[in-house]
Amino acid sequence: MSKISIPDRILLFLTALVSGYYVINGLEKYQGIVTLYFTIAFGILIITAIFLTIFSFEILKEPVIVVMATFIPLALSLGLIYKYLQEYHLLYLFFSMGGLLSILITRYLAPKRVATLALIIVHGISGIIIFLLPIIIYTKGISSFYFLLVGVGGGLISLGGILLSTLRFTKPILAAEKINALLPKLLFLASLGFVIGLSLE
Amino acid sequence: MKIIRKELKFYWTMIKPLQTGLLLLTGITGFISSRCSVINFVKFSGLTLSLFLTIAGTTILNMVFDRDIDLKMLRTMRRPIPSGKVKVKEALLMGTIMCLIGLILAFMLSLLYGILIFAGILFDILVYTILLKRKTSWSIFWGGISGAMPILAGRTLGTGSIDTIGIMFALSILLWIPTHIMTFNMLYFNDYKNAGIPTFPSKYGFKNTRMVIALSSIGASIAIGIGITALGLSWGYLRLLAILSAGLLGLAIMSVLKPSEKINFGLFKYASLYMLIAMLLTTIGSVS
């Protein structure tokens, strides 16, 4: 595992800063449960950025971190679903809980491939929701153009999650070094997309 | 000019700039949290200067009294006093003058503030360094009390009295300090052993020390959480603090369940960062 470069450390610091700013100033406008979901999503984004800065990419070997990181797209998509498609919230909440449980169980008990598959499915579906929902909402004229940035952020964070999960394959999509080099950039751009998109929705 | 620059460089390392900076920040945070008029330039400058002088002076005096220990430890043997770069008498004089000027300034600002600063110096030099450090591993508790004094003193200067919020803030620092010292005790276990300094890991073992670190980290975050809540900061600040506390808790649990040098040192770094951010949040939240 490669060490984190200074520019990447700065990007991780900015990720935590931008997300922290939104946690302090941006969440008051939402209903209780949406605030909770977004707090979890941005909170884990902050902690992930700090952990990566402190422990470097080695921390990604810890199964608990992989499970924790899944909360980012899941919590964010849950918040969006509750806000814009409330009738599907309960259904999606059950899917999220089931998904998390399956990731947790397979990470510790199942073969690598099964664990990775579970991770890709959960990351993929939540990522698609974060990516597509803003587009649908925008085309319906409910939100501003900037809300599309949330979708961009969702796409980026899911890409990061999926790339990381393929590291467990014998032949990953990209080499570990390349994925590690991409990760801080993806996290920063995703957090920026989320914060600008949600602030100006 | 070159000699002065060199001397200043030695003294800069002797005051442990990061530690002094963080303690100074806690004192300033305590003051600003009182929502006293920060625009009062004289009071604010007096607080900053008196805190800096007493904290830095105390640190220099500690190095004077611990010079024989420092010489026996690989980590500290290159410090200016044990390596002979700074004379003992000179450092003793410098540390004493800094503490005295800082104390006079503190008493000029307020009697209660001065007493607290004086108590901090007394606990650190006399109780912690001279009387207990070489005798018991529990000495860090007393070192913790002196470390907690700047934030309590800062708040007391602002409010005019010692209040519950100040005590909670002080408690958070008191509980944070074992995380700091015990991590070093484990990282440099042999150093401390060679120097004959009793530490928690040498007396109670690594496993129990990790447990104490985890518990004190959690205690520190609870204390600062209560302090900030009582201060009435907006929900946004509390949310962010809760997030960071969750990270601290997670890391503390990890250090107990899956102990390793990397996790221990990571917890130490995170706890320091946590305290720094908590102080900044309190400061910004108090003025916004």
Side-chain angles (χ1 to χ4, degrees):
Chain A
M1 288 269 171
S2 53
K3 275 189 110 183
I4 294 189
S5 65
I6 301 286
D8 282 348
R9 278 173 196 270
I10 294 170
L11 280 180
L12 289 170
F13 168 73
L14 290 174
T15 303
L17 197 71
V18 166
S19 308
Y21 172 81
Y22 195 68
V23 167
I24 293 175
N25 292 312
L27 299 179
E28 300 301 333
K29 61 182 176 185
Y30 299 112
Q31 277 182 296
I33 194 149
V34 181
T35 309
L36 178 71
Y37 287 142
F38 285 173
T39 302
I40 293 171
F42 283 102
I44 291 176
L45 202 53
I46 293 168
I47 291 175
T48 306
I50 297 175
F51 277 12
L52 276 172
T53 312
I54 292 176
F55 295 103
S56 185
F57 298 109
E58 269 177 53
I59 194 77
L60 298 172
K61 284 180 189 166
E62 295 290 335
V64 67
I65 299 296
V66 179
V67 177
M68 192 181 93
T70 316
F71 274 96
I72 302 173
L74 268 184
L76 203 69
S77 55
L78 269 165
L80 290 174
I81 291 271
Y82 189 88
K83 193 167 177 221
Y84 293 106
L85 294 167
Q86 218 177 96
E87 60 272 29
Y88 294 103
H89 172 252
L90 209 59
L91 185 72
Y92 188 61
L93 182 64
F94 283 132
F95 161 77
S96 302
M97 290 196 298
L100 261 177
L101 213 63
S102 66
I103 288 174
L104 201 70
I105 293 167
T106 54
R107 202 67 5 201
Y108 290 96
L109 299 173
K112 273 184 185 180
R113 278 195 168 269
V114 180
T116 309
L117 194 71
L119 198 71
I120 288 176
I121 290 171
V122 176
H123 259 283
I125 291 176
S126 54
I128 287 169
I129 288 171
I130 306 171
F131 181 69
L132 287 181
L133 200 60
I135 297 173
I136 296 165
I137 300 296
Y138 170 69
T139 48
K140 282 189 172 177
I142 301 170
S143 72
S144 78
F145 172 77
Y146 294 103
F147 192 47
L148 291 175
L149 288 172
V150 176
V152 176
L156 293 173
I157 206 115
S158 286
L159 178 68
I162 290 169
L163 282 176
L164 277 175
S165 56
T166 64
L167 278 176
R168 297 188 114 209
F169 288 155
T170 6
K171 272 193 176 177
I173 299 173
L174 282 175
E177 283 70 26
K178 282 187 181 164
I179 295 174
N180 290 344
L182 264 177
L183 201 61
K185 285 121 190 147
L186 288 177
L187 283 177
F188 172 65
L189 289 174
S191 64
L192 208 61
F194 293 149
V195 169
I196 296 174
L198 290 171
S199 300
L200 305 173
E201 72 180 295
Chain B
M1 195 65 191
K2 230 178 179 179
I3 298 169
I4 295 173
R5 209 181 294 162
K6 212 173 174 183
E7 281 283 300
L8 278 176
K9 208 177 156 190
F10 290 147
Y11 277 100
W12 181 249
T13 59
M14 281 168 68
I15 66 166
K16 295 185 184 171
L18 274 178
Q19 186 185 293
T20 297
L22 192 54
L23 286 174
L24 181 63
L25 179 69
T26 64
I28 292 171
T29 301
F31 180 68
I32 293 177
S33 76
S34 69
R35 293 184 170 106
C36 167
S37 174
V38 183
I39 306 157
N40 186 339
F41 183 72
V42 177
K43 207 173 190 178
F44 187 72
S45 311
L47 165 102
T48 310
L49 196 63
S50 61
L51 276 177
F52 173 76
L53 287 170
T54 47
I55 296 166
T58 308
T59 312
I60 293 173
L61 289 177
N62 274 333
M63 291 218 182
V64 171
F65 293 114
D66 282 345
R67 63 188 184 281
D68 57 324
I69 303 172
D70 285 348
L71 195 60
K72 290 177 193 163
M73 292 168 65
L74 281 171
R75 183 174 68 90
T76 53
M77 65 196 313
R78 284 196 202 115
R79 279 178 179 170
I81 302 178
S83 63
K85 288 168 191 152
V86 170
K87 286 179 186 157
V88 177
K89 272 187 187 170
E90 184 194 304
L92 185 66
L93 192 68
M94 181 64 99
T96 310
I97 289 172
M98 284 172 84
C99 282
L100 273 177
I101 298 174
L103 261 180
I104 292 166
L105 258 174
F107 275 106
M108 278 166 68
L109 284 170
S110 138
L111 178 67
L112 192 53
Y113 173 70
I115 290 171
L116 288 172
I117 295 290
F118 179 67
I121 297 174
L122 204 70
F123 274 121
D124 196 49
I125 296 176
L126 187 69
V127 182
Y128 172 62
T129 304
I130 298 176
L131 293 177
L132 298 175
K133 191 175 179 179
R134 293 158 199 251
K135 288 181 185 154
T136 167
S137 56
W138 286 91
S139 63
I140 56 167
F141 174 75
W142 301 96
I145 291 179
S146 72
M149 283 301 172
I151 196 164
L152 184 63
R155 184 161 172 89
T156 303
L157 181 66
T159 56
S161 62
I162 295 172
D163 64 355
T164 320
I165 295 173
I167 290 170
M168 289 322 289
F169 282 162
L171 188 64
S172 72
I173 305 287
L174 171 68
L175 290 169
W176 167 73
I177 283 178
T179 311
H180 182 97
I181 298 178
M182 287 181 192
T183 307
F184 267 86
N185 289 162
M186 286 197 287
L187 276 175
Y188 301 100
F189 182 77
N190 288 329
D191 259 10
Y192 283 98
K193 203 176 164 189
N194 291 339
I197 300 295
T199 61
F200 255 73
S202 64
K203 179 111 200 252
Y204 302 102
F206 276 55
K207 198 179 168 192
N208 289 329
T209 307
R210 279 190 200 103
M211 189 64 86
V212 174
I213 290 175
L215 289 175
S216 70
S217 301
I218 296 163
S221 68
I222 291 172
I224 194 98
I226 294 172
I228 288 184
T229 310
L231 201 58
L233 295 194
S234 75
W235 274 105
Y237 292 95
L238 292 174
R239 264 198 301 269
L240 187 55
L241 192 77
I243 288 166
L244 296 168
S245 302
L248 187 69
L249 180 69
L251 217 48
I253 293 171
M254 224 159 133
S255 79
V256 174
L257 297 179
K258 246 183 146 183
S260 71
E261 200 171 281
K262 198 161 175 82
I263 295 285
N264 281 344
F265 200 51
L267 176 62
F268 160 72
K269 281 186 187 171
Y270 188 95
S272 302
L273 191 70
Y274 175 86
M275 199 42 80
L276 176 73
I277 298 174
M279 292 299 119
L280 290 174
L281 284 180
T282 310
T283 304
I284 298 166
S286 298
V287 292
S288 62

